[in-house]
Amino acid sequence: MTASDRDRDTEGRARQARPRDALGRPLPYGDSGVEPVSEDPLPPNETLAAARGLVAAGRPFSAHEVLEARWKAGPIEERDLWQGLAQVCVAMTHAARGNQVGADRLFERAAERLAQFAATGRPAYGLDVAAAAQQARRHIGSF
């Protein structure tokens, strides 16, 4: 595949035009996959609600995309929060795909980021970030 064959916008950024399965794996063009999520960031509380719903529906990869959009659009002071939550979802995706090593690495990175954010004492839209960090650590080696 050449660069010109890839799904890109007019500025050269990758776009998700190719269908994907529930775990984010690309499917052949023309296949039906899961409904893609918007690449536009949602407000923080809507981001959390959407991500939770996608995880509950067995779509942690899509939840990661929702969280990633918020992380990239949000204030730098919240980067560890959103990036850590996105990494939890990527870890869940690796675990569901059978990649224990990848899942463990991402759960550890997520736990570190979330613990760093929790240590700041900043509010987190009602989320107990310290508990989320502990939960991520508990998942290491559990799949």
Side-chain angles (χ1 to χ4, degrees):
M1 176 178 270
T2 65
S4 62
D5 295 332
R6 299 190 65 194
D7 298 320
R8 302 278 177 181
D9 65 14
T10 56
E11 296 172 6
R13 290 185 303 251
R15 293 293 175 217
Q16 52 177 318
R18 191 166 173 189
R20 295 189 176 267
D21 71 8
L23 294 177
R25 294 174 289 222
L27 298 170
Y29 287 102
D31 278 10
S32 60
V34 296
E35 182 71 25
V37 296
S38 173
E39 294 179 18
D40 296 327
L42 299 171
N45 287 320
E46 289 179 41
T47 297
L48 290 172
R52 284 179 178 133
L54 288 163
V55 167
R59 296 182 57 192
F61 182 82
S62 294
H64 141 265
E65 291 180 322
V66 168
L67 292 160
E68 184 177 58
R70 177 78 252 145
W71 139 40
K72 290 181 176 180
I76 191 75
E77 299 83 22
E78 294 182 358
R79 182 177 183 154
D80 283 336
L81 170 65
W82 300 112
Q83 194 170 24
L85 293 172
Q87 287 174 324
V88 166
C89 293
V90 174
M92 293 170 69
T93 301
H94 280 295
R97 290 177 179 176
N99 178 1
Q100 181 67 50
V101 172
D104 288 350
R105 286 181 182 153
L106 267 295
F107 277 128
E108 181 59 39
R109 287 184 201 153
E112 288 174 18
R113 285 197 183 278
L114 293 170
Q116 286 174 349
F117 185 84
T120 69
R122 289 189 183 97
Y125 307 98
L127 184 67
D128 184 341
V129 183
Q134 290 172 348
Q135 185 66 28
R137 283 202 173 90
R138 280 195 290 271
H139 282 300
I140 297 169
S142 68
F143 294 95

